[in-house]
RNA sequence: GGCGCUGUAGCCAAGUGGUAAGGCAGAGGUCUGCAAAACCUCCACCACCGGUUCGAGUCCGGUCAGCGCCUCCA
């Protein structure tokens, strides 16, 4: 899998006037990074205890596109996304077996084997979807010391307390708790079971450190007990470690807004740190109007969908809706995406074919159309990363180019501008047009053999056609079709594709 | 119950008060030996009822329907 090259256009202004929707302020605001020219962003990554599904794909692709767009506009981006490999509890009642351990028992593996198994499968899926790897990919189990240190700071400042070997955040000591999600403490239900409630000063206090039960496998030494860190503390500790005080963007799924992100903020700020300056949340992926989720069981894993559709089609479908909108998935949506995406990529491929043998010169009228579409695309992305609008610009460009290509030869300079527009906007920014299909998997040697054979076959067919022996010509076309090869007759002769 | 969101054509999906982007599917056409591809044309009383306004999908109020969070979740 080749990672796309991000080209930096030094002529671009360092301030591209990007606006984004900040969940904390509940409105679109101008994006101004803390350090001019640089962006630090953190994305809550997966808990590696099962295969990723399409909901995870929406989140990963959404923030990947944001990262790519920021890079496109000239920022240097440090993208940190964690791996949660500590087995947190099955529910927030602070009781019971952890998710990793449960899975390990099921698969007859050590908890860390489970974590690594799904760690690798996660990146296999993300690579297929052309999601760029994080700049830094910290694992929670590798940062126990940092988490303990943050907990100590919180105890020292009077915002956390130890109880029976566990440590809890004291929500009543931090009035700002709830500011991200707009909740008041009194509104919240109490979800904790009786036994644990006794350990807490307030039922809404959440765990920073949990004392391990004897049967709990993942455990570390700490000043309070042999145990494991709470659910929320890793993200506070690791984002601050790798991005520093007051980093720019914190992202995640809308369903993490409360309690996870709320807790992250409280932990960091109560300890005296400056936390994220902008909060961005992607909306959910739905199926039949309902959120796709592990617990509902209505999920499709990325692995399963890739058996049916090209990963670029999946990605195209995801960027066809806005990251803050719900994305509805069904068979018709996938089929629609497959057909639409094919039209875009076929045009790009036709341009690249023509470039092999293009006349010198350029078409100034077409050049200005291309330039207008590039501007249109970039304006859409500047406006809170409006990918559906940006995709519409690509379709506009595609129609204009196909009209010109149908009309006759197009000059090399113009073809190169067109190709660069596709590769830069559709490729580098939206992450499309990565060659991952069967065509890319054919070895180079085989490809040249196939090319030679196809030249021969098409020449024979052309002879039949010239002699008006259409039955024979059509039979050749049908036979090739059954082998997965499409033959199309054009003004410039026949062409084929797999 | 509390907080919040959404309802735009058969499907997916944008939309910053000024006569509804885009894609897919569908219909007709151009091109072609026929196909295919491409291109052109056509295809929406914006859930409902009030209100504000010269003007509302867009703002306000209400009704209905659906969804999310408040428990693990992306």
């Amino acid at each position: 899998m080749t990672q796309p090259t991000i080209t930096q256009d030094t002529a671009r202004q360092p301030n591209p006037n990007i606006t984004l929707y900040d969940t904390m302020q509940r409105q679109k605001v101008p994006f101004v990074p803390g350090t001019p020219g640089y962006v630090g962003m953190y994305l809550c990554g997966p808990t590696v205890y099962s295969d990723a599904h399409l909901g995870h794909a929406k989140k990963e692709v959404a923030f990947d596109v944001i990262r790519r767009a920021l890079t496109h506009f000239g920022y240097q981006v440090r993208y940190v996304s964690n791996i949660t490999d500590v087995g947190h509890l099955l529910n927030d009642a602070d009781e019971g077996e952890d998710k990793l351990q449960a899975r390990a028992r099921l698969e007859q593996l050590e908890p860390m084997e489970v974590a690594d198994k799904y760690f690798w499968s996660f990146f296999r899926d993300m690579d297929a979807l052309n999601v760029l790897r994080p700049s830094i990919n910290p694992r929670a189990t590798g940062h126990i010391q940092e988490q303990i240190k943050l907990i100590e700071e919180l105890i020292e400042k009077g915002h956390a307390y130890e109880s029976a070997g566990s440590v809890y955040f004291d929500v009543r000591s931090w009035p700002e708790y709830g500011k991200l999600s707009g909740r008041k403490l009194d509104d919240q239900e109490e979800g904790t079971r009786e036994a644990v409630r006794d350990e807490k000063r307030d039922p809404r206090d959440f765990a920073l450190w949990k004392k391990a039960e004897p049967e709990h496998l993942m455990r570390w030494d700490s000043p309070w007990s042999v145990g494991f860190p709470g659910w929320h503390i890793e993200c506070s500790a690791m984002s601050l470690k790798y991005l520093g005080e007051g980093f720019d963007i914190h992202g995640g799924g809308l369903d993490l807004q409360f309690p996870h992100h709320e807790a992250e903020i409280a932990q960091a700020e109560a300890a005296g740190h400056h936390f994220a300056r902008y909060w961005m949340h992607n909306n959910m992926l739905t199926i039949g109007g309902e959120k796709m989720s592990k617990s509902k069981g209505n999920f499709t894993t990325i692995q399963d969908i890739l058996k049916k559709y090209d990963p670029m089609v999946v990605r195209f479908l995801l960027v066809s809706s806005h990251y803050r909108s719900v994305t509805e998935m069904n068979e018709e949506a996938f089929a629609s995406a497959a057909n639409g995406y094919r039209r875009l990529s076929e045009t790009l491929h036709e341009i690249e074919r023509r470039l092999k043998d293009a006349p010198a010169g350029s078409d100034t009228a077409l050049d200005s159309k291309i330039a207008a579409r590039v501007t249109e695309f970039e304006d859409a992305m500047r406006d809170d990363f409006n990918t559906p609008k940006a995709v519409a610009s690509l379709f506009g460009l595609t129609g204009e180019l196909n009209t010109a290509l149908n009309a006759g030869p197009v000059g090399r300079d113009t073809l190169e501008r067109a190709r660069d527009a596709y590769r830069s906007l559709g490729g580098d920014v939206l992450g499309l047009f990565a060659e991952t299909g069967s065509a890319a998997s054919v070895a180079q040697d085989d490809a040249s053999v196939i090319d030679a054979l196809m030249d021969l076959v098409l020449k024979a067919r052309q002879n039949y056609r010239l002699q008006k022996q259409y039955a024979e010509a059509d039979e050749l076309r049908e036979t090739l079709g059954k082998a997965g090869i499409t033959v199309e007759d054009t003004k410039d002769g026949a062409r084929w594709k797999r």
Side-chain angles (χ1 to χ4, degrees):
Chain A
M1 179 84 232
T2 42
Q3 299 287 328
T5 314
I6 305 287
T7 48
Q8 282 210 22
D9 187 340
T10 49
R12 265 176 232 291
Q13 296 195 0
N15 182 357
N17 293 317
I18 292 169
T19 59
L20 55 79
Y21 186 88
D22 180 16
T23 310
M24 187 72 83
Q25 299 183 58
R26 291 169 177 71
Q27 58 180 332
K28 279 192 206 173
V29 293
F31 172 63
V32 182
T35 305
Y38 294 85
V39 176
M41 59 189 293
Y42 183 90
L43 178 69
C44 286
T47 300
V48 281
Y49 73 111
S50 64
D51 282 320
H53 59 65
L54 283 169
H56 302 101
K58 174 168 163 86
K59 179 203 66 167
E60 293 292 332
V61 167
F63 285 96
D64 182 57
V65 167
I66 290 166
R67 170 197 192 173
R68 287 164 173 271
L70 291 168
T71 305
H72 176 79
F73 287 123
Y75 291 112
Q76 184 170 323
V77 181
R78 180 181 289 176
Y79 190 85
V80 179
S81 187
N82 67 299
I83 293 286
T84 299
D85 55 358
V86 171
H88 292 300
L89 297 165
L90 283 166
N91 56 59
D92 217 19
D94 293 339
E95 281 288 328
E97 195 172 28
D98 82 49
K99 288 183 288 193
L100 270 167
Q101 188 165 321
R103 190 72 182 204
R105 184 166 45 71
L106 213 63
E107 298 196 18
Q108 301 280 305
L109 297 171
E110 285 292 310
M112 208 40 125
E113 284 183 286
V114 172
D116 261 33
K117 176 180 172 183
Y118 293 107
F119 170 83
W120 293 116
S121 91
F122 177 76
F123 279 110
R124 174 198 61 201
D125 293 347
M126 292 308 131
D127 287 350
L129 292 174
N130 202 22
V131 172
L132 297 173
R133 297 268 175 114
S135 319
I136 301 172
N137 180 225
R139 291 175 68 145
T141 52
H143 297 79
I144 301 295
Q145 291 310 313
E146 285 82 352
Q147 296 175 66
I148 288 174
K149 182 164 172 293
L150 186 55
I151 295 168
E152 286 175 327
E153 289 171 22
L154 285 168
I155 293 173
E156 190 181 320
K157 291 203 158 60
H159 296 296
Y161 57 92
E162 185 199 341
S163 176
S166 294
V167 182
Y168 296 96
F169 187 91
D170 183 354
V171 293
R172 282 180 298 184
S173 77
W174 193 249
E176 288 188 18
Y177 184 73
K179 69 178 177 178
L180 179 70
S181 51
R183 278 161 217 272
K184 300 181 182 95
L185 276 180
D186 300 337
D187 296 339
Q188 289 165 42
E189 291 177 6
E190 303 170 6
T192 310
R193 288 162 69 171
E194 291 295 335
V196 181
R197 201 179 291 182
D198 292 342
E199 291 182 10
K200 296 181 178 182
R201 292 178 188 170
D202 186 290
R204 289 150 301 202
D205 291 349
F206 55 88
L208 301 171
W209 186 266
K210 284 295 289 179
K211 181 181 178 181
E213 300 297 320
E215 66 275 12
H216 201 99
L217 299 174
M218 283 186 138
R219 48 172 60 207
W220 293 265
D221 205 3
S222 81
W224 314 286
S225 64
V226 174
F228 53 96
W231 174 34
H232 315 292
I233 195 77
E234 66 179 85
C235 287
S236 302
M238 298 193 295
S239 59
L240 285 168
K241 170 165 179 160
Y242 293 110
L243 292 169
E245 298 286 324
F247 63 87
D248 295 301
I249 296 170
H250 192 305
L254 198 51
D255 52 357
L256 289 187
Q257 185 184 8
F258 186 91
H260 183 59
H261 291 157
E262 202 69 73
E264 274 190 59
I265 294 167
Q267 290 160 351
E269 295 187 346
H273 297 285
H274 294 287
F275 210 49
R277 301 172 55 246
Y278 299 91
W279 282 86
M280 300 183 73
H281 291 91
N282 64 281
N283 213 317
M284 299 296 105
L285 184 138
T286 59
I287 183 139
E290 292 217 320
K291 172 187 174 185
M292 178 178 286
S293 76
K294 184 102 175 98
S295 55
K296 284 190 178 179
N298 62 345
F299 61 91
T300 304
T301 63
I302 296 168
Q303 278 304 297
D304 281 345
I305 203 70
L306 292 186
K307 288 171 189 160
K308 241 180 135 177
Y309 294 100
D310 186 293
M312 287 296 102
V313 168
V314 177
R315 184 162 178 126
F316 176 76
L317 178 53
L318 291 171
V319 301
S320 294
S321 67
H322 193 254
Y323 75 93
R324 280 193 292 114
S325 297
V326 166
T327 301
E328 169 70 12
M329 290 257 168
N330 55 44
E331 277 304 315
E332 228 177 323
F334 271 109
S336 164
N339 290 337
Y341 179 70
R342 187 188 309 125
R343 203 172 117 221
L344 293 182
S345 63
E346 282 300 319
T347 300
L348 171 59
H349 291 146
E350 177 62 15
I351 289 165
E352 292 181 334
R353 265 195 295 271
R354 296 265 192 122
L355 267 170
K356 290 175 186 163
D357 186 26
S362 63
D363 176 338
T364 49
L366 193 50
D367 282 349
S368 59
K369 282 182 184 172
I370 295 169
R373 292 297 181 183
V374 170
T375 302
E376 192 179 57
F377 182 103
E378 290 181 333
D379 285 348
M381 292 304 291
R382 268 189 267 271
D383 180 16
D384 195 29
F385 311 100
N386 193 329
T387 54
K389 219 168 167 182
V391 167
S393 296
L394 286 185
F395 276 108
L397 176 65
T398 297
E400 286 157 2
L401 287 170
N402 278 325
T403 298
L405 291 169
N406 284 343
V410 178
R412 167 170 297 277
D413 293 347
T414 298
L415 285 176
E416 284 178 351
R417 282 193 185 87
R419 179 200 56 198
D420 291 349
Y422 275 93
R423 289 285 174 201
S424 168
L425 306 178
D428 294 343
V429 177
L430 296 182
L432 302 170
F433 309 132
E435 299 297 343
T436 54
S438 58
S441 64
V442 177
Q444 199 57 46
D445 289 354
D446 292 347
S448 57
V449 170
I450 291 171
D451 282 349
L453 286 172
M454 283 306 300
D455 280 350
L456 203 64
V457 173
L458 290 181
K459 200 171 283 177
R461 179 165 172 276
Q462 183 60 14
N463 282 333
Y464 283 130
R465 295 182 68 216
L466 289 172
Q467 295 163 38
K468 298 197 190 300
Q469 293 177 279
Y470 293 122
E472 287 80 356
D474 289 349
E475 192 191 338
L476 272 179
R477 185 171 61 193
E478 277 170 34
T479 306
L480 288 170
K482 282 174 191 163
I485 292 172
T486 308
V487 176
E488 295 173 358
D489 296 314
T490 72
K491 277 181 190 162
D492 312 317
R495 74 178 177 209
W496 65 279
K497 62 196 175 200
R498 305 160 54 89

